[in-house]
Amino acid sequence: MQQHDGPLARLRRGHEELVLDLLRKHGPLSRGELGARCGLSRTTLYDIVAALVANGAVVASAPQAGPRRRGRPVERLALNPGAGQAIGVDFARRAVHVAAVNVAHEVVGTASHAHGPDLSWPQRIELAERLIGSLAGDSLRLDALSAIGVGVVGPVAWQPADDMPGPPAELVPLLRRKFAVPVLVDNNTRLAALAESTWGTAAGEQDVLYLRLSHGVGGGLVVGGALHRGAYGLSGEFGHITVDPDGGPCECGGTGCLETVASVGAVLEAYRAAGGEAADIAGLTAAARAGEPVAAGVLAAAGRRVGAVLAAVSNAVGPGVIVIGGELAAAGEALTGPVERELSRRLLPVSRHRLDLRPAALGEVGAALGGIALVLHQSPLLSRYPGRPRIGEDG
Amino acid sequence: MQQHDGPLARLRRGHEELVLDLLRKHGPLSRGELGARCGLSRTTLYDIVAALVANGAVVASAPQAGPRRRGRPVERLALNPGAGQAIGVDFARRAVHVAAVNVAHEVVGTASHAHGPDLSWPQRIELAERLIGSLAGDSLRLDALSAIGVGVVGPVAWQPADDMPGPPAELVPLLRRKFAVPVLVDNNTRLAALAESTWGTAAGEQDVLYLRLSHGVGGGLVVGGALHRGAYGLSGEFGHITVDPDGGPCECGGTGCLETVASVGAVLEAYRAAGGEAADIAGLTAAARAGEPVAAGVLAAAGRRVGAVLAAVSNAVGPGVIVIGGELAAAGEALTGPVERELSRRLLPVSRHRLDLRPAALGEVGAALGGIALVLHQSPLLSRYPGRPRIGEDG
């Protein structure tokens, strides 16, 4: 399963990254200039450059015409300016989010559209295509697109497995056909963790626990400076940690999972059961902010469960930063206060003042941005990510 | 904190490992032969070789005398045969364990000595020196020793911190002075995890959860093919995950930690409180094997708590293998049966048949062997371990 990751393959990837880094820093360089800067032998360098040109990441510029015609004209190598444009799509439970970046990796546009929980996959894909189309323009040329990174709910099978269906089989081929670029898929919450640790509130952190409290509850881990996937792509399932062995049934087939008490739906239900009146989570959090005891009590109860799970995972994994995102995180202090108190109560005492709890910074398009981070593969967080994609590679 | 781990430093380490690997595989090689095999430029290769010679990992053999005296004689490079001998020491709570390997990395000896819980550090160090001395002989020459790896109980501070005292300040200088080699220290349970994943029951696995049920309860994680340390060296603290918020006080300052119900002491106490009679854990497990209901009940209760914690951590981290070690693991099925049932009940259903539970293979010297794995730094599991030592480097 990991044979592509032997020492030689790793070394080769290191060489490729070194060459790309040098071109990113210095602009176009000749092979000779590259060689002087990277310490690789001529043969190795030619080999690495050939592969990067073949996969479209690097272009060789036409030799400059000039009076001096003796000897072979010097070709210059540069990053492919069209290779950097990328789109991320998040197929969340009740919305589609898209984001796009330009060559300089600046976000040139984002778009979101909410939908009911039962929208069919063909309709969701059509919606995504429409949102992508709405972003196209001067700063995003769809014909210069290099890749699309897609987030979906639930575990994404590394190798197809009957009990891990992942996204519908037609998703990748449909997007590929439409946009003619590689399409890569991963769990959307893990992608949100990647985005927060690449561009968001935990940028530069080496050990991050990201928790998303939305219609589902999940998360992602950055451990030792790398996005973690888990042996079978099943890591970060914080929503399915048992918080009450005698609790209610969970969608996953288990009982008393965190998701059954701390998802948007579970919290709203608890609020209504306690006599609260709110159409949605925004109404509930507004009520809590206004000091309504029932709303505050419901959020506090969920917060304590969240804190207990975060403490257990933190004692096991030892993150430096915990990031909380998702619609429920918008409740602010009414939720995070109880989270922090329970976390502190259950955390190994020596860890307590070392762990930093932060709200997510990237909002609802976090996972779509994570899809971009995945396909751009420029984050050092992905340097050891299994099945790591390359630009131009088949999705 | 991680500046030593930039892409260039990583690349350099990759080059060093490549050179060492080639010498390990092919035996002595000239610089020319090395160059032809490794794809590095002359300049880079000379640089890498010079560093390896300087730190003692590689020796340059005297050029062969012979009739042909024209040109510069060809020096050959080889692994330093004296550089591979290493010793591991585990200062456990109530015993000192030592292990030694020879040049070929075969274990040439192990020794253990139990002691009371209150033995002073100077006495424990003296005991370790005596055990090491007892191993010296033809197959272990102490004057050819390259390094000592030491495991200690509790978190080991990366940078000194008042609330993370680690081992006593005199430990490292004392051992250094006595044996004149670098001494490296880490948490002993994490070292046991490293050993099980390098040479033990989980050798070759990329994602391992190791749990040790001994006088203390702790563990270690291998994630994505790398030993995990955590942001502050505080990972793997499975023993301090809360299993009963209303439970008894724990040594760590918390309440109702797993260690308060699943350590050797806690299980023995529960057994005696239930009317059982056993001098030690061996007696208790013998009673359980003989079908004594009280013994079986006590082990089952501890096993259920263990299973709950393992399930929570597994849902978060997604290991492929769980290894259980420590004195309690010797109880076998009486403990692991209930562990497995609770684990299965609480694990994300899609993970259940994918997770493999195995008894530890290396016994009580596991952590000492892990100390050796740490200083030999030849495990790919350590390729990203922070503060990773090099042979000959100052400890």
Side-chain angles (χ1 to χ4, degrees):
Chain A
M1 200 136 96
Q2 297 263 318
Q3 72 273 31
H4 62 288
D5 226 41
L8 277 172
R10 271 206 304 276
L11 194 68
R12 197 190 160 85
R13 280 215 307 266
H15 292 157
E16 290 182 359
E17 272 169 28
L18 185 65
V19 167
L20 292 173
D21 263 4
L22 287 169
L23 295 177
R24 202 169 293 126
K25 259 185 220 136
H26 301 286
L29 296 171
S30 69
R31 281 178 171 82
E33 291 164 337
L34 258 180
R37 283 178 163 94
C38 69
L40 300 172
S41 73
R42 263 172 75 98
T43 329
T44 308
L45 179 63
Y46 267 70
D47 196 29
I48 296 293
V49 165
L52 291 173
V53 169
N55 77 18
V58 165
V59 286
S61 67
Q64 281 161 312
R68 191 171 149 281
R69 305 271 311 186
R70 297 174 106 198
R72 205 172 149 202
V74 176
E75 215 180 38
R76 296 177 79 77
L77 302 162
L79 292 181
N80 182 355
Q85 301 213 355
I87 281 177
V89 184
D90 173 17
F91 290 103
R93 288 187 196 220
R94 300 185 181 205
V96 176
H97 308 283
V98 304
V101 297
N102 66 11
V103 178
H105 298 169
E106 297 155 344
V107 175
V108 294
T110 64
S112 294
H113 200 286
H115 60 70
D118 301 323
L119 197 70
S120 75
W121 267 103
Q123 289 173 301
R124 295 164 79 188
I125 295 170
E126 209 190 295
L127 178 53
E129 289 176 357
R130 223 175 327 121
L131 291 173
I132 293 171
S134 76
L135 297 182
D138 281 352
S139 48
L140 177 75
R141 285 174 40 227
L142 291 181
D143 59 348
L145 201 61
S146 65
I148 299 179
V150 176
V152 297
V153 171
V156 173
W158 181 316
Q159 285 160 325
D162 286 346
D163 60 346
M164 283 204 279
E170 68 266 30
L171 173 63
V172 169
L174 263 174
L175 288 174
R176 269 190 72 81
R177 213 171 306 133
K178 176 84 180 181
F179 297 101
V181 292
V183 176
L184 291 149
V185 180
D186 209 328
N187 173 272
N188 62 348
T189 312
R190 198 176 303 139
L191 291 181
L194 173 63
E196 289 291 345
S197 308
T198 305
W199 295 309
T201 187
E205 297 288 341
Q206 300 290 303
D207 290 275
V208 181
L209 192 173
Y210 171 82
L211 175 72
R212 187 181 194 171
L213 301 169
S214 181
H215 295 283
V217 173
L221 289 168
V222 168
V223 286
L227 184 66
H228 179 53
R229 194 177 192 282
Y232 303 99
L234 292 166
S235 69
E237 296 289 353
F238 310 136
H240 301 291
I241 292 178
T242 311
V243 293
D244 178 5
D246 307 317
C250 178
E251 245 182 42
C252 76
T255 300
C257 299
L258 179 64
E259 188 168 292
T260 66
V261 298
S263 70
V264 162
V267 169
L268 268 179
E269 201 180 310
Y271 184 53
R272 287 171 190 150
E277 276 175 38
D280 55 18
I281 208 73
L284 193 162
T285 61
R289 278 166 197 261
E292 194 199 278
V294 176
V298 162
L299 287 171
R304 282 191 296 273
R305 298 295 204 180
V306 168
V309 163
L310 289 177
V313 179
S314 297
N315 283 334
V317 181
V321 177
I322 293 178
V323 178
I324 301 190
E327 289 91 326
L328 261 184
E333 175 61 22
L335 180 86
T336 56
V339 169
E340 273 192 278
R341 280 189 292 279
E342 192 68 18
L343 183 58
S344 180
R345 209 161 73 87
R346 295 184 180 221
L347 211 51
L348 195 66
V350 77
S351 299
R352 282 174 197 162
H353 69 280
R354 291 183 162 82
L355 189 49
D356 198 6
L357 190 71
R358 302 179 191 166
L362 299 176
E364 62 177 10
V365 294
L369 290 171
I372 294 175
L374 181 73
V375 295
L376 293 184
H377 80 95
Q378 280 168 4
S379 166
L381 301 174
L382 291 173
S383 62
R384 282 112 60 183
Y385 201 65
R388 176 168 152 271
R390 298 211 220 131
I391 289 172
E393 208 173 63
D394 237 48
Chain B
M1 200 137 94
Q2 296 263 320
Q3 71 271 31
H4 61 286
D5 225 42
L8 278 171
R10 272 206 303 275
L11 193 68
R12 197 189 160 84
R13 279 214 308 266
H15 292 157
E16 290 182 359
E17 272 168 27
L18 185 63
V19 167
L20 292 173
D21 264 4
L22 287 169
L23 294 177
R24 202 168 291 127
K25 259 185 221 136
H26 300 287
L29 295 172
S30 69
R31 282 178 169 81
E33 291 163 339
L34 260 179
R37 284 178 161 94
C38 69
L40 301 172
S41 73
R42 261 172 75 98
T43 330
T44 307
L45 179 62
Y46 267 70
D47 196 29
I48 295 291
V49 165
L52 290 173
V53 168
N55 76 19
V58 165
V59 286
S61 67
Q64 281 162 310
R68 191 172 148 280
R69 306 268 315 182
R70 299 178 104 196
R72 203 171 149 202
V74 175
E75 215 180 39
R76 294 178 80 77
L77 302 163
L79 292 182
N80 182 354
Q85 301 214 354
I87 282 177
V89 184
D90 174 17
F91 291 103
R93 289 187 195 219
R94 301 186 181 205
V96 175
H97 308 283
V98 304
V101 297
N102 65 10
V103 179
H105 299 168
E106 297 155 345
V107 175
V108 293
T110 65
S112 295
H113 199 287
H115 60 69
D118 300 323
L119 197 69
S120 75
W121 266 103
Q123 288 173 302
R124 296 164 78 187
I125 295 170
E126 211 191 293
L127 178 53
E129 289 176 357
R130 221 173 333 121
L131 291 172
I132 293 171
S134 76
L135 297 183
D138 281 352
S139 49
L140 177 74
R141 286 174 39 228
L142 290 182
D143 59 347
L145 200 61
S146 65
I148 299 179
V150 175
V152 295
V153 171
V156 173
W158 182 315
Q159 285 158 327
D162 286 346
D163 60 346
M164 282 204 280
E170 68 267 29
L171 173 62
V172 169
L174 263 173
L175 289 174
R176 268 188 73 79
R177 214 172 306 134
K178 176 84 178 178
F179 297 100
V181 291
V183 176
L184 291 149
V185 180
D186 209 328
N187 173 272
N188 63 348
T189 312
R190 198 177 303 139
L191 291 182
L194 173 63
E196 288 291 346
S197 308
T198 305
W199 296 309
T201 187
E205 297 288 340
Q206 300 289 303
D207 289 275
V208 182
L209 192 172
Y210 171 81
L211 175 72
R212 187 181 193 172
L213 300 169
S214 182
H215 296 284
V217 172
L221 290 168
V222 168
V223 287
L227 183 66
H228 179 53
R229 195 178 190 283
Y232 303 99
L234 293 166
S235 68
E237 296 289 352
F238 309 137
H240 301 291
I241 292 178
T242 311
V243 293
D244 178 5
D246 306 317
C250 178
E251 247 183 38
C252 77
T255 301
C257 299
L258 178 64
E259 188 168 292
T260 66
V261 299
S263 70
V264 162
V267 169
L268 268 179
E269 200 180 311
Y271 183 52
R272 288 171 190 152
E277 275 175 40
D280 54 19
I281 208 73
L284 193 162
T285 60
R289 278 164 197 262
E292 193 201 278
V294 176
V298 162
L299 286 172
R304 283 192 296 273
R305 297 295 203 178
V306 168
V309 163
L310 289 177
V313 179
S314 297
N315 283 334
V317 180
V321 177
I322 292 179
V323 178
I324 301 191
E327 290 90 325
L328 262 185
E333 176 62 23
L335 181 85
T336 56
V339 169
E340 273 192 279
R341 281 190 291 279
E342 191 69 17
L343 184 57
S344 180
R345 210 161 73 87
R346 294 184 181 222
L347 212 51
L348 195 66
V350 76
S351 300
R352 281 174 198 164
H353 70 279
R354 291 185 162 81
L355 190 49
D356 198 4
L357 190 70
R358 302 180 191 166
L362 300 176
E364 61 177 10
V365 294
L369 290 171
I372 294 175
L374 181 72
V375 295
L376 294 183
H377 79 93
Q378 280 169 4
S379 166
L381 301 175
L382 291 173
S383 62
R384 283 111 61 181
Y385 200 64
R388 176 167 152 272
R390 296 212 220 130
I391 289 172
E393 209 173 61
D394 238 50

